[in-house]
Amino acid sequence: MMRNPLLSLLLALSVSGCATAPPPFIANNATSPAVWQIAENPEGHLNREVLWGGMILEIKHEARYTELEMLGFPLDADQQPQAERADEGRFVLIVSGFLDPADFAVGRFLTFAGRITGARRGELRNEPYVWPMLDTLQPHLWPKDFREEGKRYSIGVGVGVRL
């Protein structure tokens, strides 16, 4: 038992600052093929689980779901979209329920594990284009400043009770 309460407090603060958060997703069957690879043959990949991330280009609300048009980017080791790298193409993400456009705004980034459900065909800049379509239950929305350089530190305080 420590006799110095200040030393105990400092020890507790230093230990709480050492914890690191795990990546937001651990998808057992998900892989990370590029968006363009799936767009070449979306029907051949139906029900395949993928781990993707990207930037929101457009948000549409329907009665029972929210549709996001996304620009895909490769993910880094922390599963964050790497916007400084070349994009991998566009896709449509369907999320059950309502996503608040104040949070899920155009230009925000997210990562998700999802399932390929089909494709939407149309034109983009007067050229034929295929948007793979996916669904997910819970996309991870990254903070607005997640791409900024430098370390972020936080201090947490734990409280224990002895009965």
Side-chain angles (χ1 to χ4, degrees):
M1 179 175 188
M2 295 193 152
R3 295 176 193 252
N4 186 339
L6 181 59
L7 184 58
S8 298
L9 177 62
L10 288 174
L11 179 61
L13 287 174
S14 68
V15 171
S16 67
C18 294
T20 59
F25 300 100
I26 299 173
N28 294 333
N29 298 321
T31 58
S32 296
V35 175
W36 61 266
Q37 291 173 312
I38 300 299
E40 289 179 346
N41 179 19
E43 291 77 17
H45 297 281
L46 287 177
N47 295 315
R48 180 177 184 176
E49 289 184 47
V50 295
L51 181 61
W52 280 355
M55 181 178 69
I56 300 171
L57 298 176
E58 187 176 349
I59 182 168
K60 294 179 187 173
H61 293 97
E62 301 296 337
R64 297 180 185 263
Y65 62 90
T66 302
E67 181 178 299
L68 301 170
E69 181 176 348
M70 303 289 301
L71 183 61
F73 288 99
L75 302 177
D76 66 12
D78 293 324
Q79 299 175 349
Q80 296 177 341
Q82 299 179 62
E84 68 280 358
R85 296 194 41 199
D87 72 82
E88 296 181 339
R90 296 175 182 223
F91 60 92
V92 175
L93 180 62
I94 305 295
V95 182
S96 182
F98 178 82
L99 295 179
D100 188 344
D103 294 325
F104 289 83
V106 171
R108 295 291 303 270
F109 288 83
L110 53 91
T111 300
F112 67 93
R115 184 177 52 86
I116 298 171
T117 59
R120 179 176 292 160
R121 288 171 168 71
E123 285 191 359
L124 180 64
R125 296 185 201 99
N126 297 319
E127 296 289 328
Y129 199 83
V130 177
W131 288 260
M133 295 185 72
L134 302 95
D135 65 7
T136 188
L137 296 176
Q138 190 172 12
H140 176 79
L141 183 67
W142 292 101
K144 290 178 182 178
D145 64 348
F146 84 97
R147 295 177 5 196
E148 291 179 9
E149 293 291 323
K151 302 268 186 202
R152 287 187 209 98
Y153 298 97
S154 63
I155 297 175
V157 178
V159 177
V161 176
R162 179 184 279 180
L163 299 175

